[in-house]
Amino acid sequence: MATAEPEQEISLLGGFLSCGICGEAKEKELKASSCLHLFCGDCLRAKVGEDGTFSCPRCKKDVTLPAGGVNDLQDSLWVHDVRKAMESRPVAPDSPQAIREVCDHPAENARIFCENCDKAICEDCVQDPNPHKGHQVSLLSDAIKRKQGEVQTVISSCLVGVSNSGATLNNLEASDRTLRARRDKLVREIEKEAQVLIDRIVARRERLGADVEAKYNEKSRLLQEKRSETIETVANLLHAVEKAETSCNEKEDNYLRLSGAKSDMIHLSQRLTHVTAEVDLDAFDLGLKFTSKGIPEDGAFRIGRVEELPVIRRVSSDSTDSLGYGNGNRVTINGNNNGEKNGDTEDSDDTVLAEHKECRTSDRSVMVGKAGTKQEQFNHPCGLAVSEDDVIFVADTDNKRIQVLNSSGEFVRVMPTLSKTWLGRNTEHEPVWLAVSAEGNLYVTYHKKSGVDVFQEDGAFVTSFARNVRSSRIAISPLDGNIVVGSESGIRIFTSDGQAQKMFSGPAFLGGVAVSPQGDILVSDRREHCVKVYRPDGKLQRTLSGWGDKAGQCYSPRGICVDRRGNVILADRDNGRVQMFNSSGKFLRVLGTRADGLDRPEEVALLSDGRIVVLDSVHQCLFFISQ
């Protein structure tokens, strides 16, 4: 009996572990209906009416299929696992409470059941002396029927539990598929982003290699020309010597021939002396060196990061904890974060307020710098740019320098703005607008000097172009590396080496310029209080925002930047805030306000961890604001 028990139970469960119509258990075909009973797909398709409903043969309920029909029902793969677990489980011994004694007489005579003693007895047991006198007795067959009814009730209750667990198992199956899909999606995103970095490294390697190869070819050509000239002169001299020896050995005296041979040898000897004397070996040196930026640690590649999603929405970001608070010019104040005006709440840090009493930050923002001429102090700064390595460049205009900070806002170095004028004199200039290329080159425009200067990462001057354009906003296309130079006289596009490509008209009162990942050119218009989006060919595509102080409106907008998704981040200067729009121009949210310390945000840039860097012209400082 024990060995047959599993098969009997599986057969008994029937529609719960196999199709409720044909009785088969097909591992990948069983579908769970809304009444939680299982059916194979073929049986359902044959049974479902044209209206997408059928009557469940198990519970007799009318079931309506989803819009996609049978295919949209979940596969109940758990059924196979349950059957397998049942078949492989060890046989449990009979419960001692289920074993009931019978009387001492032959068992085949036990046809009576004593309810009080809970055992089967025979007719002799109810004769005098009667140990069951006063007990409630009945026929054993009737007691068995009653007990069968009780067992069937418990079976029904258990099967309801099985049905409910089937829904849970289906949900777990769906969660498992979602879990695997999200894992695969994350892996694909990581691989895609890593490939972008690899492609950039390969492209940069090829560019550097091409520069070296071009320089080598130039030097090699000069060297080979000098070598050929020397070889030819030596050969001519040896030929003249050979000819003179022949003339000396001839029996016939020829004064003129000997004189000619002497003259040729003297001339060629002098020529050889001249050729070899003017050889400058240093001129054939490659004249290049490779300065490695160093191989960063794993975390510094900034491919991205995988982070835990919060279970409960966070009220405020704690990313400022990583910024460091040791620097005297970098302060954070736990102020309000509900959009209140400056000065509406008191702060307990009297020392900080004494130094920055005109500026309050929120728990999302960090203030870096102040007015001055020292390190990490600014004198009417204008331009702001962030490299792909999160190096921050600030055009410290009236201090005639460019300050370089790291992603925590700490001072790194100063880049002087010393470059040659068109007359060849080295002069310091007032930088106003900046942009950084993917290769790390810094592009700078000036207040009183026309053109765009290009510097290497270490501050070495490279070249200049656009010499007839002054005080121009500047941006670099992430799509093709072209340089977009915007001024009130129009928008100009140059190649990365400064070759003019195209020009078209833009706003007369230009506030800022940026380029989207798709190559669209975005220009803020200070007079019309909007952002205009142009195609690379100069055709106006759409306009973002409009005049006002409501969400999605702006007042005298300035700097713009675009994230990798194409979202537009705008310095809404005269409203004292920074706003975000999607690539279609739909308003998304406000990223920073006067409650975060802003007064007149002029420029915006984006760090790789999502923080916004804002240059404020009133406080003459930077704000790091967490989204």
Side-chain angles (χ1 to χ4, degrees):
M1 293 293 289
T3 57
E5 186 177 355
E7 295 182 2
Q8 183 179 359
E9 289 187 69
I10 293 175
S11 176
L12 179 65
L13 293 177
F16 291 95
L17 295 179
S18 58
C19 175
I21 298 176
C22 67
E24 295 185 10
K26 300 177 181 179
E27 177 183 351
K28 294 185 179 180
E29 284 291 328
L30 289 178
K31 303 280 188 178
S33 67
S34 59
C35 63
L36 303 181
H37 291 114
L38 304 179
F39 305 95
C40 61
D42 293 338
C43 291
L44 276 180
R45 292 183 184 92
K47 193 172 182 63
V48 173
E50 294 182 357
D51 58 354
T53 63
F54 75 98
S55 177
C56 176
R58 294 287 302 175
C59 62
K60 308 304 181 184
K61 292 181 180 179
D62 290 331
V63 178
T64 301
L65 295 183
V70 175
N71 292 333
D72 276 5
L73 293 175
Q74 291 185 346
D75 291 327
S76 296
L77 303 180
W78 58 270
V79 172
H80 173 75
D81 296 329
V82 171
R83 293 179 66 93
K84 188 174 181 181
M86 290 182 65
E87 293 169 353
S88 61
R89 80 191 193 286
V91 178
D94 289 335
S95 172
Q97 289 141 356
I99 301 174
R100 299 297 183 212
E101 296 180 354
V102 296
C103 61
D104 297 333
H105 302 102
E108 60 272 13
N109 295 331
R111 296 185 178 88
I112 301 174
F113 184 77
C114 178
E115 302 287 350
N116 298 74
C117 298
D118 197 22
K119 69 178 181 179
I121 59 177
C122 62
E123 293 180 358
D124 294 338
C125 296
V126 296
Q127 305 296 326
D128 291 330
N130 183 3
H132 300 281
K133 188 175 182 180
H135 292 185
Q136 184 176 354
V137 297
S138 62
L139 292 176
L140 179 60
S141 59
D142 293 339
I144 290 174
K145 289 180 181 179
R146 287 197 304 273
K147 187 59 68 176
Q148 286 175 339
E150 295 173 2
V151 171
Q152 288 294 337
T153 300
V154 175
I155 288 174
S156 299
S157 176
C158 291
L159 293 182
V160 170
V162 171
S163 296
N164 293 333
S165 65
T168 300
L169 288 169
N170 284 333
N171 290 333
L172 290 174
E173 292 279 356
S175 296
D176 181 54
R177 290 192 295 269
T178 301
L179 183 65
R180 283 185 276 111
R182 288 180 178 174
R183 176 205 62 188
D184 295 343
K185 182 175 181 292
L186 282 173
V187 170
R188 287 195 301 270
E189 289 175 349
I190 292 170
E191 290 177 348
K192 181 179 178 181
E193 194 68 16
Q195 191 60 48
V196 171
L197 182 59
I198 292 170
D199 291 344
R200 288 179 178 175
I201 292 173
V202 170
R204 180 60 176 161
R205 181 194 65 188
E206 291 176 352
R207 282 194 293 270
L208 290 174
D211 292 343
V212 172
E213 188 67 22
K215 191 71 171 179
Y216 166 77
N217 290 337
E218 177 187 357
K219 296 292 185 178
S220 178
R221 178 183 60 80
L222 295 175
L223 189 148
Q224 295 302 326
E225 287 177 356
K226 196 65 179 178
R227 183 174 181 271
S228 298
E229 182 183 13
T230 304
I231 289 175
E232 182 180 2
T233 304
V234 169
N236 289 338
L237 179 57
L238 291 176
H239 179 70
V241 169
E242 183 181 15
K243 184 178 179 181
E245 287 181 344
T246 302
S247 297
C248 289
N249 293 330
E250 288 181 354
K251 293 180 180 181
E252 180 182 354
D253 295 332
N254 191 325
Y255 180 83
L256 292 178
R257 181 182 297 173
L258 291 173
S259 296
K262 176 184 176 183
S263 177
D264 289 344
M265 287 189 294
I266 292 174
H267 171 72
L268 290 172
S269 179
Q270 291 174 345
R271 173 64 181 165
L272 180 61
T273 301
H274 176 74
V275 169
T276 55
E278 67 179 12
V279 174
D280 181 9
L281 297 180
D282 291 336
F284 305 124
D285 184 82
L286 193 59
L288 300 174
K289 75 170 184 175
F290 175 69
T291 302
S292 173
K293 294 180 64 176
I295 299 176
E297 298 178 357
D298 291 343
F301 280 109
R302 278 183 288 276
I303 293 176
R305 65 183 183 274
V306 177
E307 54 189 345
E308 295 285 344
L309 292 174
V311 178
I312 301 174
R313 183 183 177 187
R314 296 171 183 170
V315 176
S316 62
S317 172
D318 55 3
S319 62
T320 54
D321 292 343
S322 63
L323 294 176
Y325 301 100
N327 190 296
N329 292 329
R330 185 164 50 260
V331 297
T332 58
I333 306 173
N334 291 326
N336 64 72
N337 192 25
N338 54 10
E340 296 178 359
K341 298 292 183 181
N342 295 346
D344 289 348
T345 60
E346 294 297 329
D347 194 282
S348 60
D349 193 337
D350 296 333
T351 302
V352 173
L353 289 179
E355 184 176 0
H356 301 283
K357 58 184 178 182
E358 78 285 358
C359 174
R360 288 183 179 273
T361 62
S362 72
D363 56 355
R364 299 188 310 116
S365 66
V366 173
M367 177 181 174
V368 174
K370 61 180 181 180
T373 59
K374 299 179 181 179
Q375 290 182 180
E376 210 171 298
Q377 295 180 352
F378 308 101
N379 190 1
H380 294 98
C382 289
L384 173 67
V386 175
S387 74
E388 293 190 351
D389 296 330
D390 281 352
V391 178
I392 302 170
F393 299 87
V394 183
D396 191 3
T397 304
D398 285 359
N399 282 328
K400 295 183 178 180
R401 65 186 181 183
I402 297 170
Q403 292 205 56
V404 184
L405 311 176
N406 64 19
S407 60
S408 297
E410 297 168 343
F411 175 81
V412 177
R413 67 180 186 275
V414 165
M415 288 180 58
T417 56
L418 193 68
S419 64
K420 289 185 178 181
T421 64
W422 311 135
L423 299 177
R425 293 194 297 265
N426 285 329
T427 306
E428 282 189 332
H429 306 286
E430 298 174 344
V432 286
W433 311 113
L434 308 174
V436 185
S437 69
E439 295 78 19
N441 288 333
L442 183 66
Y443 294 75
V444 186
T445 63
Y446 302 94
H447 176 47
K448 295 181 179 179
K449 173 180 176 291
S450 300
V452 180
D453 281 355
V454 186
F455 297 87
Q456 293 179 348
E457 293 174 284
D458 58 2
F461 177 77
V462 177
T463 188
S464 295
F465 63 93
R467 296 187 175 186
N468 60 338
V469 184
R470 177 178 290 184
S471 297
S472 308
R473 277 70 171 175
I474 187 167
I476 299 177
S477 171
L479 185 65
D480 52 21
N482 283 344
I483 316 301
V484 179
V485 179
S487 67
E488 294 179 355
S489 61
I491 309 297
R492 294 171 171 82
I493 302 176
F494 299 84
T495 61
S496 58
D497 57 358
Q499 299 298 315
Q501 278 197 326
K502 188 175 182 60
M503 177 181 174
F504 59 89
S505 298
F509 292 84
L510 187 145
V513 63
V515 185
S516 74
Q518 293 74 36
D520 293 333
I521 300 170
L522 296 88
V523 180
S524 61
D525 190 322
R526 293 180 287 132
R527 183 170 63 181
E528 297 184 12
H529 310 287
C530 65
V531 175
K532 296 180 177 179
V533 184
Y534 298 89
R535 291 195 316 200
D537 60 5
K539 183 178 180 181
L540 180 64
Q541 282 188 299
R542 58 185 175 274
T543 299
L544 281 62
S545 188
W547 182 83
D549 58 2
K550 296 181 180 179
Q553 297 176 334
C554 63
Y555 185 20
S556 191
R558 290 302 199 270
I560 320 170
C561 67
V562 185
D563 66 16
R564 292 188 177 184
R565 296 182 178 178
N567 295 324
V568 180
I569 300 168
L570 175 67
D572 184 7
R573 191 189 73 167
D574 286 4
N575 282 326
R577 63 188 179 186
V578 175
Q579 300 193 79
M580 175 183 280
F581 303 81
N582 68 11
S583 58
S584 300
K586 179 182 178 182
F587 170 74
L588 296 179
R589 62 183 182 275
V590 174
L591 299 177
T593 66
R594 290 190 170 97
D596 298 306
L598 303 179
D599 196 323
R600 300 189 84 185
E602 294 283 348
E603 288 293 308
V604 288
L606 189 65
L607 293 169
S608 62
D609 61 6
R611 285 177 294 148
I612 308 296
V613 185
V614 184
L615 190 155
D616 192 284
S617 60
V618 171
H619 300 302
Q620 300 192 59
C621 70
L622 301 180
F623 286 94
F624 290 69
I625 301 179
S626 301
Q627 295 192 53

